[in-house]
Amino acid sequence: MRIIILHGLLFFLALGCKSKNEALKESEPPLNTELIFKSKIGSESLKTEVLIIDLRSDTDTIKTNLFVELRKSDNVVFSDTLSIEMTEEPLIDIRDVDGDGTDDLLIEYLRPGRGSNQVSMLFLFDDKELKLKRIHN
């Protein structure tokens, strides 16, 4: 009887591990990627790691998809995909833009046409909820 119960518990444990691994794989970016930025963000007392990954496309278009991810103790707490038109590598900076005492994420890139105007994407960091709020240009 104990062996049957033990086998049942092992079966359910194996099912739980499989679904957890599948959930981890869903949050990972595709394999054809390149890490272009890694830093810490947030207030001095609560630093969170920010990663920006270039999702390489198979076509020769100027549209680029960037995968923005926040990690706290190796756990993904926030992720977002940003699709931008750019001719060069984006300029990425971590600084307090809104004056609230926590660092924010600023991505500047060039859009072809209109004299190659500089375009920015600002992500305001929410220290309490550990997420980024996207502000367009």
Side-chain angles (χ1 to χ4, degrees), residues 28-36 53-59 64-67:
E28 294 176 359
L31 293 177
N32 192 18
T33 63
E34 178 187 354
L35 179 67
I36 60 172
I53 300 165
D54 186 357
L55 303 176
R56 298 288 179 190
S57 66
D58 296 331
T59 60
T64 302
N65 294 314
L66 299 178
F67 185 73

PDB file of all heavy atoms in Angstrom, residues 28-36 53-59 64-67:
ATOM      1  N   GLU A  28      11.229  32.929 -21.343  1.00  0.00           N
ATOM      2  CA  GLU A  28      12.536  33.142 -21.939  1.00  0.00           C
ATOM      3  C   GLU A  28      12.388  33.675 -23.354  1.00  0.00           C
ATOM      4  O   GLU A  28      11.492  33.301 -24.082  1.00  0.00           O
ATOM      5  CB  GLU A  28      13.326  31.828 -21.972  1.00  0.00           C
ATOM      6  CG  GLU A  28      13.681  31.309 -20.602  1.00  0.00           C
ATOM      7  CD  GLU A  28      14.377  29.959 -20.671  1.00  0.00           C
ATOM      8  OE1 GLU A  28      14.568  29.428 -21.778  1.00  0.00           O
ATOM      9  OE2 GLU A  28      14.724  29.450 -19.607  1.00  0.00           O
ATOM     10  N   PRO A  29      13.307  34.573 -23.772  1.00  0.00           N
ATOM     11  CA  PRO A  29      13.264  35.051 -25.148  1.00  0.00           C
ATOM     12  C   PRO A  29      13.690  33.953 -26.116  1.00  0.00           C
ATOM     13  O   PRO A  29      14.321  32.979 -25.708  1.00  0.00           O
ATOM     14  CB  PRO A  29      14.264  36.208 -25.151  1.00  0.00           C
ATOM     15  CG  PRO A  29      15.161  35.951 -23.999  1.00  0.00           C
ATOM     16  CD  PRO A  29      14.353  35.205 -22.990  1.00  0.00           C
ATOM     17  N   PRO A  30      13.379  34.084 -27.403  1.00  0.00           N
ATOM     18  CA  PRO A  30      13.790  33.081 -28.385  1.00  0.00           C
ATOM     19  C   PRO A  30      15.309  32.929 -28.444  1.00  0.00           C
ATOM     20  O   PRO A  30      16.052  33.796 -28.004  1.00  0.00           O
ATOM     21  CB  PRO A  30      13.245  33.641 -29.702  1.00  0.00           C
ATOM     22  CG  PRO A  30      12.184  34.604 -29.312  1.00  0.00           C
ATOM     23  CD  PRO A  30      12.547  35.119 -27.963  1.00  0.00           C
ATOM     24  N   LEU A  31      15.764  31.824 -29.053  1.00  0.00           N
ATOM     25  CA  LEU A  31      17.189  31.518 -29.073  1.00  0.00           C
ATOM     26  C   LEU A  31      18.006  32.478 -29.924  1.00  0.00           C
ATOM     27  O   LEU A  31      19.164  32.732 -29.627  1.00  0.00           O
ATOM     28  CB  LEU A  31      17.394  30.083 -29.579  1.00  0.00           C
ATOM     29  CG  LEU A  31      16.873  28.985 -28.663  1.00  0.00           C
ATOM     30  CD1 LEU A  31      17.066  27.627 -29.322  1.00  0.00           C
ATOM     31  CD2 LEU A  31      17.563  29.020 -27.315  1.00  0.00           C
ATOM     32  N   ASN A  32      17.467  33.011 -30.997  1.00  0.00           N
ATOM     33  CA  ASN A  32      18.195  33.884 -31.896  1.00  0.00           C
ATOM     34  C   ASN A  32      18.220  35.306 -31.332  1.00  0.00           C
ATOM     35  O   ASN A  32      17.555  36.201 -31.822  1.00  0.00           O
ATOM     36  CB  ASN A  32      17.536  33.852 -33.279  1.00  0.00           C
ATOM     37  CG  ASN A  32      18.393  34.508 -34.326  1.00  0.00           C
ATOM     38  OD1 ASN A  32      19.593  34.699 -34.130  1.00  0.00           O
ATOM     39  ND2 ASN A  32      17.783  34.862 -35.429  1.00  0.00           N
ATOM     40  N   THR A  33      19.001  35.530 -30.269  1.00  0.00           N
ATOM     41  CA  THR A  33      18.996  36.802 -29.564  1.00  0.00           C
ATOM     42  C   THR A  33      20.414  37.264 -29.262  1.00  0.00           C
ATOM     43  O   THR A  33      21.371  36.500 -29.367  1.00  0.00           O
ATOM     44  CB  THR A  33      18.238  36.682 -28.226  1.00  0.00           C
ATOM     45  OG1 THR A  33      18.918  35.749 -27.402  1.00  0.00           O
ATOM     46  CG2 THR A  33      16.811  36.257 -28.428  1.00  0.00           C
ATOM     47  N   GLU A  34      20.520  38.531 -28.861  1.00  0.00           N
ATOM     48  CA  GLU A  34      21.797  39.092 -28.435  1.00  0.00           C
ATOM     49  C   GLU A  34      21.546  40.049 -27.271  1.00  0.00           C
ATOM     50  O   GLU A  34      20.725  40.964 -27.381  1.00  0.00           O
ATOM     51  CB  GLU A  34      22.457  39.846 -29.591  1.00  0.00           C
ATOM     52  CG  GLU A  34      23.755  40.503 -29.201  1.00  0.00           C
ATOM     53  CD  GLU A  34      24.321  41.392 -30.296  1.00  0.00           C
ATOM     54  OE1 GLU A  34      23.769  41.413 -31.403  1.00  0.00           O
ATOM     55  OE2 GLU A  34      25.313  42.077 -30.016  1.00  0.00           O
ATOM     56  N   LEU A  35      22.245  39.845 -26.161  1.00  0.00           N
ATOM     57  CA  LEU A  35      22.144  40.746 -25.013  1.00  0.00           C
ATOM     58  C   LEU A  35      22.869  42.038 -25.359  1.00  0.00           C
ATOM     59  O   LEU A  35      24.056  42.020 -25.678  1.00  0.00           O
ATOM     60  CB  LEU A  35      22.765  40.104 -23.769  1.00  0.00           C
ATOM     61  CG  LEU A  35      22.750  40.940 -22.499  1.00  0.00           C
ATOM     62  CD1 LEU A  35      21.336  41.152 -22.008  1.00  0.00           C
ATOM     63  CD2 LEU A  35      23.594  40.292 -21.420  1.00  0.00           C
ATOM     64  N   ILE A  36      22.153  43.164 -25.332  1.00  0.00           N
ATOM     65  CA  ILE A  36      22.786  44.440 -25.676  1.00  0.00           C
ATOM     66  C   ILE A  36      22.916  45.382 -24.485  1.00  0.00           C
ATOM     67  O   ILE A  36      23.615  46.384 -24.580  1.00  0.00           O
ATOM     68  CB  ILE A  36      22.053  45.147 -26.835  1.00  0.00           C
ATOM     69  CG1 ILE A  36      20.599  45.451 -26.483  1.00  0.00           C
ATOM     70  CG2 ILE A  36      22.145  44.339 -28.107  1.00  0.00           C
ATOM     71  CD1 ILE A  36      19.900  46.312 -27.515  1.00  0.00           C
ATOM     72  N   ILE A  53      17.435  42.674 -24.539  1.00  0.00           N
ATOM     73  CA  ILE A  53      17.889  41.667 -25.481  1.00  0.00           C
ATOM     74  C   ILE A  53      17.356  42.016 -26.857  1.00  0.00           C
ATOM     75  O   ILE A  53      16.165  42.302 -27.021  1.00  0.00           O
ATOM     76  CB  ILE A  53      17.389  40.270 -25.042  1.00  0.00           C
ATOM     77  CG1 ILE A  53      17.946  39.961 -23.651  1.00  0.00           C
ATOM     78  CG2 ILE A  53      17.770  39.205 -26.052  1.00  0.00           C
ATOM     79  CD1 ILE A  53      17.272  38.816 -22.955  1.00  0.00           C
ATOM     80  N   ASP A  54      18.233  42.011 -27.854  1.00  0.00           N
ATOM     81  CA  ASP A  54      17.848  42.249 -29.236  1.00  0.00           C
ATOM     82  C   ASP A  54      17.349  40.931 -29.814  1.00  0.00           C
ATOM     83  O   ASP A  54      18.094  39.962 -29.895  1.00  0.00           O
ATOM     84  CB  ASP A  54      19.054  42.764 -30.026  1.00  0.00           C
ATOM     85  CG  ASP A  54      18.702  43.180 -31.445  1.00  0.00           C
ATOM     86  OD1 ASP A  54      17.539  43.020 -31.853  1.00  0.00           O
ATOM     87  OD2 ASP A  54      19.606  43.671 -32.146  1.00  0.00           O
ATOM     88  N   LEU A  55      16.068  40.893 -30.177  1.00  0.00           N
ATOM     89  CA  LEU A  55      15.480  39.701 -30.783  1.00  0.00           C
ATOM     90  C   LEU A  55      15.771  39.760 -32.274  1.00  0.00           C
ATOM     91  O   LEU A  55      15.125  40.489 -33.012  1.00  0.00           O
ATOM     92  CB  LEU A  55      13.973  39.647 -30.535  1.00  0.00           C
ATOM     93  CG  LEU A  55      13.536  39.679 -29.081  1.00  0.00           C
ATOM     94  CD1 LEU A  55      12.019  39.722 -28.987  1.00  0.00           C
ATOM     95  CD2 LEU A  55      14.081  38.492 -28.324  1.00  0.00           C
ATOM     96  N   ARG A  56      16.770  39.050 -32.698  1.00  0.00           N
ATOM     97  CA  ARG A  56      17.212  39.089 -34.100  1.00  0.00           C
ATOM     98  C   ARG A  56      16.109  38.577 -35.016  1.00  0.00           C
ATOM     99  O   ARG A  56      15.562  37.504 -34.800  1.00  0.00           O
ATOM    100  CB  ARG A  56      18.467  38.239 -34.285  1.00  0.00           C
ATOM    101  CG  ARG A  56      19.644  38.724 -33.492  1.00  0.00           C
ATOM    102  CD  ARG A  56      20.156  39.976 -34.084  1.00  0.00           C
ATOM    103  NE  ARG A  56      21.293  40.465 -33.300  1.00  0.00           N
ATOM    104  CZ  ARG A  56      21.813  41.638 -33.490  1.00  0.00           C
ATOM    105  NH1 ARG A  56      21.341  42.433 -34.406  1.00  0.00           N
ATOM    106  NH2 ARG A  56      22.822  42.050 -32.761  1.00  0.00           N
ATOM    107  N   SER A  57      15.809  39.363 -36.059  1.00  0.00           N
ATOM    108  CA  SER A  57      14.817  38.921 -37.036  1.00  0.00           C
ATOM    109  C   SER A  57      15.535  38.277 -38.222  1.00  0.00           C
ATOM    110  O   SER A  57      16.704  38.521 -38.459  1.00  0.00           O
ATOM    111  CB  SER A  57      13.964  40.099 -37.509  1.00  0.00           C
ATOM    112  OG  SER A  57      14.769  41.004 -38.231  1.00  0.00           O
ATOM    113  N   ASP A  58      14.812  37.456 -38.954  1.00  0.00           N
ATOM    114  CA  ASP A  58      15.386  36.769 -40.106  1.00  0.00           C
ATOM    115  C   ASP A  58      15.361  37.629 -41.359  1.00  0.00           C
ATOM    116  O   ASP A  58      15.923  37.262 -42.376  1.00  0.00           O
ATOM    117  CB  ASP A  58      14.623  35.465 -40.366  1.00  0.00           C
ATOM    118  CG  ASP A  58      14.783  34.500 -39.200  1.00  0.00           C
ATOM    119  OD1 ASP A  58      15.821  34.566 -38.522  1.00  0.00           O
ATOM    120  OD2 ASP A  58      13.870  33.689 -38.980  1.00  0.00           O
ATOM    121  N   THR A  59      14.719  38.774 -41.290  1.00  0.00           N
ATOM    122  CA  THR A  59      14.623  39.633 -42.467  1.00  0.00           C
ATOM    123  C   THR A  59      15.564  40.819 -42.319  1.00  0.00           C
ATOM    124  O   THR A  59      16.050  41.123 -41.237  1.00  0.00           O
ATOM    125  CB  THR A  59      13.175  40.143 -42.639  1.00  0.00           C
ATOM    126  OG1 THR A  59      12.822  40.897 -41.471  1.00  0.00           O
ATOM    127  CG2 THR A  59      12.211  38.988 -42.812  1.00  0.00           C
ATOM    128  N   THR A  64      13.280  46.640 -35.373  1.00  0.00           N
ATOM    129  CA  THR A  64      13.962  45.798 -34.400  1.00  0.00           C
ATOM    130  C   THR A  64      13.045  45.561 -33.217  1.00  0.00           C
ATOM    131  O   THR A  64      12.352  46.472 -32.764  1.00  0.00           O
ATOM    132  CB  THR A  64      15.259  46.484 -33.917  1.00  0.00           C
ATOM    133  OG1 THR A  64      16.087  46.738 -35.046  1.00  0.00           O
ATOM    134  CG2 THR A  64      16.002  45.627 -32.933  1.00  0.00           C
ATOM    135  N   ASN A  65      13.055  44.343 -32.717  1.00  0.00           N
ATOM    136  CA  ASN A  65      12.293  44.000 -31.527  1.00  0.00           C
ATOM    137  C   ASN A  65      13.255  43.836 -30.371  1.00  0.00           C
ATOM    138  O   ASN A  65      14.204  43.054 -30.448  1.00  0.00           O
ATOM    139  CB  ASN A  65      11.499  42.712 -31.737  1.00  0.00           C
ATOM    140  CG  ASN A  65      10.423  42.878 -32.770  1.00  0.00           C
ATOM    141  OD1 ASN A  65       9.692  43.861 -32.757  1.00  0.00           O
ATOM    142  ND2 ASN A  65      10.307  41.945 -33.684  1.00  0.00           N
ATOM    143  N   LEU A  66      13.013  44.595 -29.309  1.00  0.00           N
ATOM    144  CA  LEU A  66      13.824  44.503 -28.100  1.00  0.00           C
ATOM    145  C   LEU A  66      12.994  43.861 -27.000  1.00  0.00           C
ATOM    146  O   LEU A  66      11.823  44.185 -26.830  1.00  0.00           O
ATOM    147  CB  LEU A  66      14.297  45.887 -27.654  1.00  0.00           C
ATOM    148  CG  LEU A  66      15.169  46.670 -28.623  1.00  0.00           C
ATOM    149  CD1 LEU A  66      15.498  48.036 -28.045  1.00  0.00           C
ATOM    150  CD2 LEU A  66      16.427  45.911 -28.969  1.00  0.00           C
ATOM    151  N   PHE A  67      13.599  42.959 -26.258  1.00  0.00           N
ATOM    152  CA  PHE A  67      12.956  42.283 -25.138  1.00  0.00           C
ATOM    153  C   PHE A  67      13.516  42.901 -23.868  1.00  0.00           C
ATOM    154  O   PHE A  67      14.710  42.822 -23.597  1.00  0.00           O
ATOM    155  CB  PHE A  67      13.261  40.779 -25.205  1.00  0.00           C
ATOM    156  CG  PHE A  67      12.564  39.958 -24.171  1.00  0.00           C
ATOM    157  CD1 PHE A  67      11.208  39.708 -24.265  1.00  0.00           C
ATOM    158  CD2 PHE A  67      13.263  39.418 -23.104  1.00  0.00           C
ATOM    159  CE1 PHE A  67      10.553  38.935 -23.315  1.00  0.00           C
ATOM    160  CE2 PHE A  67      12.629  38.657 -22.154  1.00  0.00           C
ATOM    161  CZ  PHE A  67      11.266  38.406 -22.261  1.00  0.00           C
TER     162      PHE A  67
END
